[in-house]
Amino acid sequence: MEQFPPLRHLYVNPAGDCNLSCAHCWITPDRSASMFDVRAPAQREITPDDLHRLIVEALPLGLLSVKFTGGEPLLRSDFAELYAAAGETVSTIILETNGTLEPPGIWDALRSALPRSVAVSLDSVEPGIHDAFRRTPGAWNRSRGFIDKLVSMGIETQVIMSVIGGDADPVVRMAMLCREMRVSSLKINPVQPIGRGRELSGSEPDIGGIIDLARRVHARLGRAVTVDVPPAFIPLDRLKGHTLCPVLNLLGILPDGGVSFCGIGFSFPSMVMGNATTESLAGIWKNSPTLALLREQVPRKIEGICSECIHLESCMGKCVMQNMASGGSFTSPHWFCTAAAEQGLFPASRLAP
């Protein structure tokens, strides 16, 4: 009998659009009509009942957690009902949001089933810089207020800060603000050269600057502050607990019920493997040719510098979907490691003998 890996995680994208228009966004969603107002669910978007059924179907496959992500998940006026549908069936819920919207019932829903963590985007300690990056005046103040409410409820809160290049000063200042706000952690995301980020980071991202930034942050700031670079550029004593993409154990649910891996399905329809509102989720998990190809190729057939790295089995190419988007296949190496190797910056100590 053929064995399948457990389906541990569902990444749910209840809305394909967003109320902001961030300069770095890799999935480039459409912008909603209202800046800080929620909207009613669209006709073809999954309902709370749909989501509850999907989660129940996924439980025998090994489901442990549900992550709400975007587009902006809080854009929908019925988000509290979607959240409750997850809270009734799984114990681990994660939320990623820009923190500028508060749909009806959101705080009661979070209080009834406390999330494992909530990540909120905040790109600068200076409101004007953040608002310009998010292309929305007033975004910083709303996100800051949202963070304060989460912390006051005892919810583990992470700030996600997107950066270009290797300037450490804004990161240090953000770390100080995070301590002041009493958030649990700060994650630094270098802008990826995909989607809108391709124009923002330029054709040649500052690899050396990002490596230097990661080195300084990991040496000077506490473990609550991390830079999201591949494991080869993280100190060995920091690797324990470092978050890696569980690509072999997840499915993404798009707003219309389409099944993909994550937000990649928005930009690459070929990565949509079926529709969970009309097809069996278990059937997709077990019979999708795309998933069969992924399982056959990742990680052992990943090419380039990744094939030489001692972290290949755990890292699995860092982000297989970004690798596919930029390189054309599941076996494409990660862009950051490839560029570092080409510039002589890949650490020799992380290469297999």
Side-chain angles (χ1 to χ4, degrees), residues 168-169 172 215-222 238:
D169 181 63
V172 172
R215 184 182 299 116
R216 285 183 287 167
V217 166
H218 293 146
R220 294 172 51 190
L221 301 178
R238 281 262 199 155

Side-chain angles (χ1 to χ4, degrees), residues 184-198:
S184 304
S185 62
L186 169 62
K187 181 183 178 185
I188 309 302
N189 280 353
V191 171
Q192 308 283 332
I194 182 173
R196 295 187 194 129
R198 185 176 290 108

